[in-house]
Structure formats: C-alpha cells, structure tokens
Amino acid sequence: MDISTHDYKIAPLNNQEQAVAIIKEAEAAIAEATGNKVTLIAYEKSEQP
C-alpha cells in the first residue's frame, strides 16, 4: 500500500476532547474486533492555493 500525505497534514486536536474520545473509542473497538492494538491518526485536508 502506498500512502501519500502531501495533500494532508496532522489534524490539531488540542482542546478537542470529544474528537479525541471518539478516536480512542474507535481504537478500542477495532482492537477488540481484530485482537490487535491499533493507533488511529487524524489528518485534515491541506488547503491548496
């Protein structure tokens, strides 16, 4: 798999407790379903000139 992130940047989730909680819940659900620990990374679309 080729992952290219030039159109995206890491989403700043400072002071976004609800968004972080949703990501943590999703990580836990995926880990339970697969038996593997996972880490989800939040990206946001970069603004193009």
Side-chain angles (χ1 to χ4, degrees):
M1 177 188 330
D2 182 25
I3 299 174
S4 177
T5 60
H6 64 278
D7 291 333
Y8 294 86
K9 62 182 180 179
I10 299 291
L13 298 179
N14 302 359
N15 301 316
Q16 298 292 323
E17 291 84 10
Q18 184 178 10
V20 173
I22 291 167
I23 292 169
K24 287 181 179 182
E25 290 170 8
E27 288 174 336
I30 293 168
E32 184 175 332
T34 65
N36 296 307
K37 291 183 179 180
V38 297
T39 299
L40 300 179
I41 301 169
Y43 289 99
E44 65 182 17
K45 185 85 171 164
S46 297
E47 293 188 26
Q48 300 295 325

